[in-house]
Amino acid sequence: DCAIARCAAAIAAAAKDKAAKDNAPKDPVVAAMELQVGAVISVMVTSMDDKKIVVSERALVQDQGAKALKVGMRTSGRVVSLSDFGAFVELSATDPAAPRLEGLIHISELSWNRISHPRDVVRVGQEVDVKVLDVVLSEDRKPARITFSLKQLQADPLLETLDTIMPVAMPEPSVDEDELLDTPLPGLLDICANLLTEDGIDAVIPGRQAVEQRVVSQDLELWLTNVVVADGYNLLARAGRQVQEIHGVTR
């Protein structure tokens, strides 16, 4: 009787364990693959020998999408994974050019600022707009490779002008910004004096001042703007967050 009871208890425990496993949520990847059982799909042969043939649906998606993408075009997708060297983005399944295509945003193309890891800028699951930087089509059974850029759809702080730094409707500056605006740009007098020694320059007139949102360079930099000026040219002197417009009058 004891042996029968122990056997019955073992059977009951096994049945309970099986029921728990059957009711446990399935891995999403496994569940998605089970839905494909019996379906007819298009694939690409990635390797082959005497004993086996390896095919990939992903490789075919990459190849077809890569042929549709053009360098320089803008598209959007979702961040699917992060690594030390960049973020992987998958285009939407409804993308008209390259549905479900996956590409890499290298860490250097995530932000104009220096960052230590992609997670400083993006997170998994985030929707992003990207620019296509490079497309390498599949060759010798190697999948196509696509590289994207996030930062090239944003303004380069080094190319900002005073019109973008100082919009028409300016918010009230903080106390720190007030102090910076009241402080002359370091080296401004030397810049003006040196410009006046150049041939063809009649006068040097300091113009507007502004405070940038971020530190572009701790060193003093001098930039020639692309603004057309009838009687000379405009320069931007920058140091830290301070920007000073300088107008050079020519003969």
Side-chain angles (χ1 to χ4, degrees):
D1 290 343
C2 291
I4 294 175
R6 285 196 297 270
C7 183
I11 293 173
K16 184 178 180 181
D17 184 59
K18 182 179 183 302
K21 290 181 179 179
D22 291 340
N23 294 328
K26 291 184 178 180
D27 181 272
V29 176
V30 174
M33 293 181 67
E34 288 180 347
L35 292 175
Q36 295 295 321
V37 173
V40 177
I41 60 174
S42 298
V43 296
M44 175 184 285
V45 176
T46 57
S47 67
M48 179 173 56
D49 57 31
D50 295 337
K51 296 182 179 180
K52 64 180 180 181
I53 298 175
V54 179
V55 298
S56 171
E57 183 189 17
R58 166 61 69 182
L60 182 62
V61 168
Q62 290 289 107
D63 183 65
Q64 293 175 336
K67 292 176 181 177
L69 289 181
K70 302 297 181 184
V71 173
M73 71 183 296
R74 177 174 180 161
T75 186
S76 59
R78 180 174 58 88
V79 178
V80 292
S81 64
L82 301 177
S83 69
D84 291 339
F85 54 84
F88 289 92
V89 172
E90 183 181 85
L91 303 190
S92 168
T94 59
D95 187 279
R100 295 177 52 225
L101 177 139
E102 186 175 294
L104 171 70
I105 308 176
H106 190 266
I107 188 171
S108 62
E109 290 295 330
L110 283 167
S111 174
W112 292 108
N113 296 325
R114 181 175 296 177
I115 60 174
S116 58
H117 195 275
R119 61 173 168 267
D120 297 336
V121 179
V122 295
R123 66 183 185 279
V124 173
Q126 179 179 342
E127 299 289 334
V128 292
D129 292 329
V130 294
K131 177 181 178 180
V132 180
L133 279 191
D134 190 29
V135 177
V136 179
L137 299 179
S138 60
E139 185 178 7
D140 296 331
R141 297 191 181 129
K142 293 181 180 179
R145 300 191 307 278
I146 295 85
T147 53
F148 298 126
S149 175
L150 182 66
K151 75 177 187 182
Q152 291 196 24
L153 295 182
Q154 305 166 354
D156 182 351
L158 288 177
L159 300 180
E160 285 181 330
T161 67
L162 282 179
D163 290 332
T164 60
I165 299 169
M166 301 175 65
V168 176
M170 286 287 290
E172 289 296 322
S174 65
V175 175
D176 290 341
E177 290 178 343
D178 277 337
E179 292 175 354
L180 283 175
L181 286 173
D182 292 337
T183 304
L185 184 82
L188 177 61
L189 294 179
D190 292 336
I191 292 173
C192 294
N194 289 331
L195 287 174
L196 285 171
T197 64
E198 297 292 329
D199 292 337
I201 295 182
D202 285 343
V204 177
I205 305 169
R208 297 174 294 173
Q209 287 181 278
V211 177
E212 298 185 279
Q213 296 181 356
R214 59 177 72 85
V215 174
V216 175
S217 174
Q218 293 291 2
D219 299 324
L220 178 62
E221 297 180 342
L222 200 61
W223 294 78
L224 179 65
T225 72
N226 57 6
V227 177
V228 178
V229 182
D231 60 346
Y233 54 85
N234 281 350
L235 299 170
L236 291 185
R238 320 166 78 128
R241 293 175 59 209
Q242 289 180 267
V243 184
Q244 173 71 56
E245 185 180 51
I246 301 173
H247 177 53
V249 181
T250 58
R251 297 188 181 94

